[in-house]
Each structure stands twice: as C-alpha cells, then as structure tokens.
Amino acid sequence: MASDGSPKPPLRGSEPPDASITSGALARRLGISPTTLRSWDQRYSLGPARRRRGHHRRWSPQDVAMVEDMCSLTASGVSPAEAARSAKERAHAAPQGQGTRPVLASSATAAGTSGKAGSRGSSGLPFGAVRAECRGLARAALRLESVAIQEQLNAFVQEHGVVAAWEELMMPTLHAVGRKWESSGDRYVEVEHLLSWHVSTALRNAQLLLGPGETRKGGSPVLLACVPGEQHTLPLEAVHAALLQRGRPVRMLGAAVPAEALIAAVLRTGPAAVVLWSQTRSLASTPLALHLLGMGWGVNGARQQAALVLAGPGWRGARIEGAVQPQGLREAIALLAPES
C-alpha cells in the first residue's frame, strides 16, 4: 500500500503469478527454441489452450506446466510423441487451476524406451545404435538443463554401475556432442562443457551413489595420471570411480602431470600399477613410459616395480614391451581389480 492508503502500482516488468506468457518467454525459460514450441504444437497439439486471432500466443500456467512436463519426460529418454501424450493426459487429469507435476521417468523404464535406438533422433545429435537414455541425456544437455542431466546420470550409475554408465551412456553422449560441435562451426561448445562437468560430478559421487566398496586391506594403490600436457581427465575419472567401486586403493593425480612429479609420486606411494592416459598421439611419451617400466624401489634383494598400463587412443600403435594396453574401461578394470 502507498502512504495515502491506495494500492501501489505493480513494479515494471512484474506480472501476477497467474499471468500468461509469450512463446519467446516460455522458450527462454525452458531452454528450447520457439521453433521447437511451434513444432510440438503442430505435431502433437501441445500448444496454448486459448488463442486469440491476431494476437501473439499466450501460455497460461497450466499450458506452461504441460510443456515443462513434456521437457522432463523427453529429457529422461521418453520419445517426443509418447511424452506429449503423457503430458496432455496429466494436464487434463490435473485439478482445475493446477498444473501438472513434471515426472522424470526411470532411466531403465522410461515408457518402454530402454534398449538400443536408431541413428539420429529428435535430439539432432549423430548417434549410432545407442540406448534410448542417451537421447534423453542429449536433449537435456542441448537445453542446458543441469538438474535433469545430473538426475539422469546419477540414476544410471545407481542402477547399472560405473562401467556400464561410462560405456553405455556417458561416452556415447559425449562423443555425439563432440561430433555435433565439430560439424557446427564451434557451436554447442557450452553443451559439451556442461555435460562434461556433470559427467565428472557423477563419477566423483559414485561412491556416495553406490555406497563405498569394501577396501582391500594391505594392497598397494593404483596410480592414475595423464601424460605431461594432457588435459582430458574424464576417462581417468571413470577408471578412478570403477576402481573405488571394486574396493581397490587408488590415487588420482589428474591432468598434465609433469614427468618429475609422476616419478616422485611412484617412489612415494609404491603403486601396484601406474595408469598413464594420453588422448593424442603427439603427447604419448615413449621415453616416460620406458622410464616408468625401469623404475624400482625398496631394499636390495626385494626391489619392487609397478605394472604399467598405457590407456587412451594416444598410445595406439605404440610398441612398448612390458606395458599393457587395455581396450576400454571394462578391460582396464579387469586387469587392475579382478573380481575374486
């Protein structure tokens, strides 16, 4: 109220909570394009319930809730057609004056969409034969929907474990986003960065999501490091999470570890194995690998050495006698932490 008792005028730009909004405002709120809204309206009749000829379309709170439901369902892997049907059914079933409650479907049972899918879906990303959950994750990533991305990643890790999450969900979606970036003139960089951040978060939280593995007592740790100059750490983070799930002691040194620092860490920790990651061939250092193979520590007569695991596409074609080069995360974990 104003000082004279009259109602205060509304603040500029403010609207009552039940006010309708334009398509542009709704698209910005949801992180999708107005074209997508028009497409959903034309294909699935998922548009404003009330329209006025000659005016911009206005979306009521009930309309908005229905589209939010649509976004949540497609982000969880449900096909757009099925998501639209479910969103409209819930909107019609909701009490008058209330919107629908967005429901994220289970990563494995999202309206029957588990299993493999075709080559390119409504996400617009170049997929091969992948799980339907990859498409849901891609849709959420393209919309920059942080909450949906993390929920899907966490749910998949909890349901299937780290190795399956990396091989069947994280890596295929990251590769598809990367190919989209490369073919789009540096567009979608923000999508790859956001997705990578949340993949890293899910991997680092895997122990919390799955519960701590039973640590093997008395065992020497596995030492994880990127070669000097290498900044790509996500694959090593997947190794780290999978080893912890198996209860294997592990030490993560991370990106671009200088050779001197890596050698010092080997001498200080006495690891059972060193995993050396290289994404690109130009950074894969054969002299460093040979030095690590020749290192030993301990008293004379009881010298110890670490097994050397060369991981990543940068080592392809390298012939380093005594080193092991696993093909993928599953094989690496079988070597480093075999199940008893």
Side-chain angles (χ1 to χ4, degrees):
M1 298 287 286
S3 57
D4 60 358
S6 60
K8 286 185 177 180
L11 295 174
R12 179 173 296 183
S14 66
E15 293 181 314
D18 59 345
S20 59
I21 62 174
T22 65
S23 295
L26 178 57
R28 286 191 297 273
R29 176 190 295 189
L30 299 177
I32 60 179
S33 69
T35 302
T36 298
L37 279 178
R38 288 194 294 271
S39 173
W40 286 353
D41 191 6
Q42 293 166 0
R43 293 184 181 184
Y44 313 118
S45 300
L46 204 74
R50 297 181 180 179
R51 307 167 191 254
R52 289 193 295 170
R53 190 180 300 276
H55 290 77
H56 290 295
R57 296 190 302 169
R58 307 284 296 191
W59 300 73
S60 71
Q62 291 72 36
D63 300 327
V64 170
M66 181 171 61
V67 179
E68 287 176 338
D69 199 5
M70 171 79 171
C71 287
S72 295
L73 289 166
T74 57
S76 67
V78 181
S79 70
E82 178 65 20
R85 184 190 64 78
S86 297
K88 287 191 293 185
E89 285 182 354
R90 282 203 283 268
H92 294 151
Q96 187 67 26
Q98 296 183 15
T100 61
R101 171 185 284 182
V103 178
L104 284 175
S106 161
S107 61
T109 60
T113 60
S114 61
K116 305 293 183 181
S119 62
R120 185 184 290 267
S122 60
S123 66
L125 294 179
F127 282 111
V130 298
R131 299 181 66 105
E133 290 91 338
C134 293
R135 303 190 183 285
L137 184 61
R139 295 185 189 108
L142 287 172
R143 296 171 188 154
L144 304 180
E145 293 182 343
S146 291
V147 173
I149 293 170
Q150 202 64 62
E151 285 181 345
Q152 288 183 74
L153 290 168
N154 291 350
F156 202 98
V157 169
Q158 285 181 306
E159 190 170 350
H160 300 287
V162 171
V163 174
W166 175 254
E167 293 184 341
E168 299 177 26
L169 179 65
M170 296 171 177
M171 190 167 57
T173 309
L174 285 165
H175 283 176
V177 170
R179 290 193 296 271
K180 184 76 170 178
W181 171 24
E182 292 172 356
S183 63
S184 303
D186 283 342
R187 294 177 59 204
Y188 303 103
V189 176
E190 73 285 0
V191 175
E192 184 178 45
H193 283 208
L194 183 71
L195 180 59
S196 297
W197 170 262
H198 286 290
V199 167
S200 178
T201 301
L203 291 172
R204 296 188 190 198
N205 288 340
Q207 267 196 303
L208 299 175
L209 296 169
L210 296 167
E214 185 177 349
T215 303
R216 303 177 187 181
K217 297 181 179 179
S220 299
V222 174
L223 195 64
L224 310 179
C226 290
V227 296
E230 180 60 71
Q231 298 293 336
H232 294 84
T233 63
L234 279 181
L236 267 192
E237 292 176 39
V239 175
H240 182 266
L243 288 176
L244 288 179
Q245 187 181 351
R246 290 277 184 96
R248 191 74 161 89
V250 59
R251 305 289 184 271
M252 164 67 94
L253 300 186
V257 182
E260 297 81 2
L262 176 57
I263 292 168
V266 170
L267 293 174
R268 289 177 62 188
T269 61
V274 176
V275 180
L276 197 55
W277 173 267
S278 179
Q279 181 78 15
T280 57
R281 188 168 298 179
S282 61
L283 294 176
S285 174
T286 297
L288 176 59
L290 292 173
H291 185 84
L292 292 172
L293 278 170
M295 285 184 63
W297 59 87
V299 298
N300 291 334
R303 301 284 283 176
Q304 299 181 55
Q305 286 182 301
L308 180 61
V309 178
L310 302 178
W315 294 107
R316 287 175 187 160
R319 295 291 182 265
I320 301 177
E321 187 176 353
V324 182
Q325 298 184 43
Q327 302 300 308
L329 177 61
R330 196 175 296 272
E331 185 177 333
I333 299 307
L335 287 169
L336 296 166
E339 292 183 312
S340 56

